[in-house]
Amino acid sequence: MSNFTVISDDEAVELRKLREFYNEVRNLATEHDVIENDTSGIAVVYPSRLGVALSKVNPHWYHSDKVS
């Protein structure tokens, strides 16, 4: 049994962007910054770094109410 689905060129571009976004977020999570506090460090990915990755999928991501 095979599952064959044809996607549009726009969907193919979006899928590529989302795969790249996933890889960037994965890298940001493993190469996170650390906020020091009294007891230990806290892992953090700053919005400015995440925003760069989001902008590659949708340059106006901060205006989006929903996923299109």
Side-chain angles (χ1 to χ4, degrees):
M1 181 174 175
S2 68
N3 183 9
F4 182 75
T5 304
V6 177
I7 62 175
S8 69
D9 290 343
D10 289 342
E11 290 170 321
V13 169
E14 182 178 41
L15 179 60
R16 179 187 52 78
K17 287 179 179 181
L18 290 171
R19 286 179 174 166
E20 291 171 359
F21 174 71
Y22 168 82
N23 287 326
E24 286 192 55
V25 170
R26 183 191 63 209
N27 291 338
L28 288 171
T30 58
E31 299 170 11
H32 56 38
D33 292 309
V34 176
I35 298 175
E36 297 296 333
N37 64 16
D38 294 338
T39 58
S40 65
I42 299 171
V44 62
V45 175
Y46 289 104
S48 59
R49 293 182 71 196
L50 184 58
V52 171
L54 284 165
S55 292
K56 292 177 183 176
V57 177
N58 177 355
H60 305 290
W61 63 269
Y62 46 88
H63 291 296
S64 300
D65 309 36
K66 61 180 182 168
V67 176
S68 52

